[in-house]
Amino acid sequence: MTDRAEAALTDGEVKRIAGALKSAVRLSGISHRRIEREMGLCPGYLSRIFACRVELRIRHVLGVCRIIDLPVDSFFHAVLPRRQDAPNDAKRVEQSLRELHPAPYATCLQGIVAGPDPAPEALGPSEKAARLLRRLRQVLVDIEHNGV
């Protein structure tokens, strides 16, 4: 296997990301139709993305996360959590990237705490994102444990 092939996402990883994106949309309560309209996609295109019948692109993930008000870094952290045993080179690259390309906003993960979810109408944008992330993580755990 070549270095390039090893670096590419596997079909399983793409399916996991597409499935998590589908779950995030469902948990957000925003319709596929609205997302498709706001992203300029034809009707039914989002379903084809989620079913992996069309190629999942980064613009799809970014657009959906923006529309459902979920920070994309939080989405990827929930779906592809950092390995605890990451090599030192990877940690060094990650730190350098943070310094070279700082996030234009505070990350949502800093404010996530466990506990019961407050009433939706009492939530601000960051609290809504934190709530959505908690629910998304639970769905991912359920899928991994139960194959659902």
Side-chain angles (χ1 to χ4, degrees), residues 21-74:
L21 196 60
K22 178 181 178 180
S23 295
V25 168
R26 186 176 56 241
L27 292 169
S28 76
I30 297 174
S31 72
H32 286 203
R33 192 73 144 177
R34 176 179 164 195
I35 293 170
E36 290 164 342
R37 190 172 45 251
E38 289 190 33
M39 290 179 63
L41 303 173
C42 63
Y45 196 81
L46 206 53
S47 293
R48 292 195 299 271
I49 290 171
F50 296 154
C52 296
R53 291 192 310 238
V54 296
E55 185 176 350
L56 176 64
R57 297 179 181 267
I58 191 67
R59 74 174 59 179
H60 299 140
V61 177
L62 296 174
V64 169
C65 285
R66 179 184 51 78
I67 293 166
I68 67 172
D69 201 25
L70 177 65
V72 72
D73 60 330
S74 300

Side-chain angles (χ1 to χ4, degrees), residues 102-114:
Y105 50 84
T107 61
C108 174
L109 296 175
Q110 296 166 350
I112 296 178
V113 293

